[in-house]
Amino acid sequence: MGVRGLQTFIEENCPDACKEVSIEELAKNHKARFNVQPVLVIDGLNWLVSMYRLGDSVSVFGGEWLQFARTLQFFIAKFKNIGVKPIFIFDGTVCESKRKTWVARRIRSYDAVLCIFEDFKECFRGESDSGGIPTMIDKLCCFIVKESGADAFQSNTEADFVIAKYAAEHKDVFAILSQDSDYIIFNTKMYLSMLHFDFISFCTIQYDRTCLALKYLHLQVEQLPLFSCLVGNDIVRFEMLKPFLLSLCHTQHVYMANYVENLCNFIKEENWTGDTSSWREMCQISLKVFGSIDKAYLIHEGLKSYALNCDIPSPKVCIKVSSKMEKTVHERHWNCLNAPYIFDLLCKMEFSQREVLEDESRLPCAILYREIRQRCYGVLFNCFVPPHSVANPGKTRSGDSIIIDEWCAYQGNSMDEPEYVKPLPLKNLSVARNVVPKIEDLWFKLSSKEKLKVFWHILEIPMKFDLLADLPNDHIVLACTLSSLIGGLEESPLIQPLEVAVFVAQALWNKKIKELLNLPIPWLDADAVNLCTLFLCGVSTMFLVLSTCGSPIPVIHIMPWRYFDGKLFHHLLNKARIKPSVNELCKNQRSTVKKFYKLLRVVTSNSIYDVDQYPWGNVLKDFER
């Protein structure tokens, strides 16, 4: 997101405001000047996309997670070797003012997803790729960064504002690394381009806002927010401004280069400063640009979004909780200790999920896992606790009942408005005197085993609790996701026995980077891609449930690289379809075979595929009871 066309305009028309720099040299100069360890603030999602495209990973396989984690660790270490401390800040929420832009992007991306499926259905090979990132990695990457030894944070308001403000307020920060032209407008530390970042030399392009303003726009740096609001950004949208900008052009093509000189002259002739304290000026701008004063509030909002000398108020928890709980919700979110969904749910009664790599062959994952989410809502809001009367007005639509606004991108959902979803109660809960524990008791008072019991009740999976409780932490998310896909969802079973066996077997491989890299690119089909997406959406759902329950296991054990690799899954599934054998799936290693039988028994317990009931010998030719 950012200012439409600004970076292209600078690169093509403002050579002195766009220059190559060395991050190592910038850091050395900053250290010499301020005698501090130089800090580079990195826009997390921008870095994530660039990092994933850097390697040979093919995201349609579901993610080569271990390889990605090792690559991330390598580059974090490289930053430290040149004396730079990287700090990553991730988008942690979608602000209401940018919801329309978010929705428009999701719809465009989902159309692209369907084209991807058509492409690899035709070529039936792994060379086709989304060019993006694997399902749910955007929600998990901050935890991978922390595991890699760097600081990572999640914003509780708009991330670009949080990053710009953080950089401006900390003298050890020398620059921001991102790909969002809003950082040219913010009056903060220098902005370095992620798009032009060279992962070998650690050189990139710096966009110089002072040079741009004074030399090329002939405006003051303080007028850049006004310039942004008049060319189009995430709040004052370009489509609204197009008639005005067209009137400034010499041609019928509304490109920045065609109107920027006239626009800047117009600003100077009107003596507009972009002072948000002058409502009279806001009305004048609206009248001149839109023909009425009706949009004065929008201009004001756009300008305020760049004002680093004030705070964007962070949403408060919208149910009655103690000050300790309020503080904990914000701290766990900022420090990446909870699934990012929890903050939006407790503070805004919202749930947001971007598009995933799925076609129309089954119900969308967002719908398939909805009932589990609804039971999370039931626990988070204790099914009957009403919101504060002054917080989130309009959020209760039938008496005091809780309603969650779900913004889920999937085929057929136009997202003109959210889907309104009610919490669901838990069945047969035997914790805390047969009642749903209040969220504060669940987070602060119950033991890990009691929290795990609530987790199990929310899932409503066929797996017996005692088997779940005895699992190693690294296998809990895997086992519960597979149990859900077998018998815990309304549309069950959603996964075939051979596919269950492959998921179990690949989790037990002693994965080594070199071995995974040397695996041949597997044959690719839509069904296997959908399976990986279904599984990873399950992982994300498990993360939400575990965070709801106060994290009965440490967050690190939720990370997919501990039990899943997309390329390995596709490789083993292709082999198993030709030669369905336990020994082949387990690399003919007796110890792995033994673990396979043990884990498969847990995963399928009490389900239609229970190893004591189902004819597994018809699935895997060498299967032994």
Side-chain angles (χ1 to χ4, degrees):
M1 300 185 182
V3 185
R4 182 186 175 113
L6 181 56
Q7 284 173 176
T8 301
F9 172 76
I10 295 174
E11 290 174 14
E12 293 179 354
N13 301 279
C14 312
D16 291 342
C18 179
K19 53 192 177 187
E20 184 170 326
V21 293
S22 161
I23 288 179
E24 184 174 6
E25 289 302 315
L26 292 174
K28 285 179 180 178
N29 293 339
H30 191 78
K31 183 176 182 179
R33 182 179 178 187
F34 295 102
N35 194 29
V36 293
Q37 181 182 11
V39 170
L40 178 67
V41 179
I42 299 174
D43 186 332
L45 190 56
N46 269 272
W47 173 263
L48 168 65
V49 173
S50 299
M51 282 289 299
Y52 209 84
R53 289 174 177 170
L54 174 69
D56 298 324
S57 300
V58 184
S59 63
V60 290
F61 289 138
E64 291 158 66
W65 292 84
L66 186 62
Q67 180 180 336
F68 174 74
R70 293 292 185 271
T71 303
L72 187 58
Q73 288 168 4
F74 172 80
F75 281 104
I76 287 174
K78 191 170 178 181
F79 270 119
K80 293 179 179 179
N81 288 340
I82 63 170
V84 173
K85 179 182 180 181
I87 290 180
F88 295 80
I89 298 180
F90 290 82
D91 272 310
T93 188
V94 180
C95 293
E96 187 176 351
S97 61
K98 297 191 177 182
R99 178 61 76 178
K100 286 185 178 179
T101 303
W102 184 88
V103 167
R105 289 192 172 211
R106 302 287 68 80
I107 291 173
R108 287 198 303 271
S109 297
Y110 223 105
D111 290 341
V113 164
L114 295 181
C115 292
I116 291 163
F117 271 91
E118 291 303 319
D119 286 347
F120 67 68
K121 281 177 184 176
E122 289 179 11
C123 65
F124 205 67
R125 286 292 296 172
E127 286 82 355
S128 177
D129 187 24
S130 67
I133 55 178
T135 297
M136 297 303 164
I137 200 172
D138 58 312
K139 296 298 183 187
L140 299 175
C141 190
C142 56
F143 304 94
I144 303 176
V145 167
K146 289 187 70 173
E147 178 70 4
S148 301
D151 291 338
F153 304 103
Q154 292 180 121
S155 66
N156 54 15
T157 58
E158 186 60 38
D160 54 7
F161 179 87
V162 173
I163 290 170
K165 188 174 179 65
Y166 183 96
E169 292 178 346
H170 291 78
K171 75 173 186 178
D172 52 353
V173 175
F174 68 92
I176 295 167
L177 181 62
S178 180
Q179 196 59 38
D180 186 330
S181 51
D182 273 335
Y183 295 115
I184 301 172
I185 306 301
F186 283 112
N187 195 3
T188 184
K189 301 293 173 56
M190 73 174 73
Y191 164 43
L192 307 178
S193 169
M194 188 71 250
L195 179 65
H196 297 287
F197 181 76
D198 187 318
F199 282 87
I200 297 174
S201 67
F202 274 38
C203 292
T204 187
I205 297 295
Q206 176 203 350
Y207 298 103
D208 188 330
R209 69 178 66 85
T210 302
C211 179
L212 169 69
L214 299 180
K215 183 172 182 177
Y216 295 102
L217 302 182
H218 306 292
L219 298 174
Q220 298 301 308
V221 171
E222 292 75 19
Q223 291 176 292
L224 286 178
L226 176 59
F227 174 80
S228 168
C229 290
L230 296 184
V231 298
N233 54 34
D234 296 333
I235 295 176
V236 188
R237 298 168 70 189
F238 172 79
E239 290 72 22
M240 302 170 58
L241 293 159
K242 193 171 181 179
F244 167 68
L245 295 175
L246 193 59
S247 71
L248 300 175
C249 287
H250 302 297
T251 71
Q252 294 299 305
H253 301 291
V254 192
Y255 300 132
M256 189 174 288
N258 293 340
Y259 62 74
V260 69
E261 183 178 355
N262 286 346
L263 174 62
C264 293
N265 288 335
F266 192 88
I267 291 171
K268 287 183 287 186
E269 288 169 5
E270 296 292 334
N271 291 316
W272 290 340
T273 64
D275 181 4
T276 56
S277 66
S278 173
W279 188 249
R280 182 179 180 180
E281 183 174 299
M282 301 299 103
C283 291
Q284 287 175 344
I285 294 170
S286 179
L287 185 63
K288 290 282 186 179
V289 173
F290 299 109
S292 74
I293 64 171
D294 294 347
K295 298 294 189 295
Y297 74 94
L298 198 62
I299 299 292
H300 183 267
E301 185 181 354
L303 292 170
K304 287 283 284 186
S305 70
Y306 294 109
L308 299 180
N309 59 348
C310 63
D311 290 317
I312 297 177
S314 179
K316 302 294 184 181
V317 174
C318 55
I319 55 175
K320 293 180 180 179
V321 295
S322 67
S323 57
K324 178 185 177 181
M325 181 67 180
E326 178 94 40
K327 183 180 179 182
T328 301
V329 169
H330 285 81
E331 285 182 348
R332 288 190 180 183
H333 181 76
W334 173 248
N335 292 304
C336 306
L337 298 174
N338 264 347
Y341 310 113
I342 297 292
F343 178 84
D344 276 356
L345 287 168
L346 286 175
C347 296
K348 300 196 291 183
M349 291 189 179
E350 288 182 353
F351 175 87
S352 299
Q353 183 172 298
R354 61 189 292 140
E355 70 286 345
V356 296
L357 202 59
E358 61 185 356
D359 63 10
E360 300 168 292
S361 61
R362 60 161 58 95
L363 278 176
C365 290
I367 296 176
L368 289 171
Y369 288 107
R370 176 168 284 161
E371 282 198 11
I372 296 178
R373 295 198 301 274
Q374 287 177 276
R375 290 192 288 273
C376 282
Y377 307 158
V379 171
L380 287 170
F381 297 102
N382 210 32
C383 291
F384 53 80
V385 180
H388 291 318
S389 58
V390 295
N392 294 301
K395 281 289 189 177
T396 55
R397 296 181 176 83
S398 56
D400 285 335
S401 63
I402 298 291
I403 302 291
I404 305 300
D405 291 356
E406 287 201 344
W407 296 91
C408 298
Y410 58 84
Q411 189 64 21
N413 184 13
S414 66
M415 294 193 289
D416 293 330
E417 61 178 18
E419 296 172 278
Y420 303 123
V421 177
K422 291 184 177 182
L424 288 176
L426 303 191
K427 301 173 184 176
N428 305 317
L429 186 62
S430 58
V431 175
R433 299 184 299 280
N434 294 319
V435 296
V436 178
K438 289 188 177 181
I439 189 67
E440 294 191 62
D441 292 339
L442 185 53
W443 282 25
F444 301 134
K445 294 183 180 180
L446 297 189
S447 68
S448 293
K449 188 169 184 178
E450 288 173 322
K451 293 177 181 181
L452 197 65
K453 191 70 171 285
V454 178
F455 166 75
W456 179 71
H457 275 290
I458 291 174
L459 296 183
E460 291 188 5
I461 53 178
M463 184 197 306
K464 295 177 181 177
F465 177 71
D466 289 345
L467 293 175
L468 166 61
D470 288 339
L471 278 171
N473 284 344
D474 278 358
H475 289 161
I476 285 177
V477 169
L478 169 90
C480 291
T481 300
L482 294 179
S483 185
S484 290
L485 295 175
I486 295 168
L489 301 173
E490 190 174 328
E491 300 294 323
S492 61
L494 291 171
I495 187 169
Q496 297 302 309
L498 183 64
E499 297 156 357
V500 174
V502 174
F503 273 116
V504 170
Q506 63 82 38
L508 297 171
W509 270 47
N510 182 20
K511 301 177 184 66
K512 294 181 173 61
I513 293 289
K514 187 175 181 180
E515 184 178 18
L516 294 175
L517 283 171
N518 288 336
L519 286 177
I521 297 292
W523 286 92
L524 189 65
D525 63 62
D527 185 53
V529 172
N530 277 305
L531 274 174
C532 286
T533 297
L534 189 62
F535 176 78
L536 288 168
C537 287
V539 169
S540 179
T541 304
M542 297 302 141
F543 193 11
L544 167 62
V545 183
L546 286 164
S547 294
T548 296
C549 297
S551 301
I553 62 172
V555 169
I556 192 60
H557 297 287
I558 301 167
M559 298 302 108
W561 76 80
R562 291 178 173 264
Y563 49 81
F564 178 71
D565 182 89
K567 184 180 176 184
L568 178 60
F569 172 80
H570 280 260
H571 175 78
L572 292 180
L573 184 62
N574 289 339
K575 287 184 66 175
R577 284 170 173 170
I578 299 168
K579 186 179 180 181
S581 159
V582 173
N583 285 294
E584 289 291 326
L585 285 175
C586 297
K587 299 175 70 175
N588 293 300
Q589 295 176 347
R590 289 189 62 184
S591 61
T592 305
V593 169
K594 185 176 179 180
K595 292 175 183 176
F596 171 85
Y597 282 115
K598 184 177 180 180
L599 184 54
L600 185 69
R601 178 175 293 276
V602 175
V603 165
T604 62
S605 73
N606 210 31
S607 76
I608 192 173
Y609 300 152
D610 193 308
V611 295
D612 292 326
Q613 306 293 330
Y614 191 81
W616 276 92
N618 295 338
V619 178
L620 299 164
K621 301 305 181 185
D622 56 350
F623 190 87
E624 297 177 3
R625 290 209 176 277

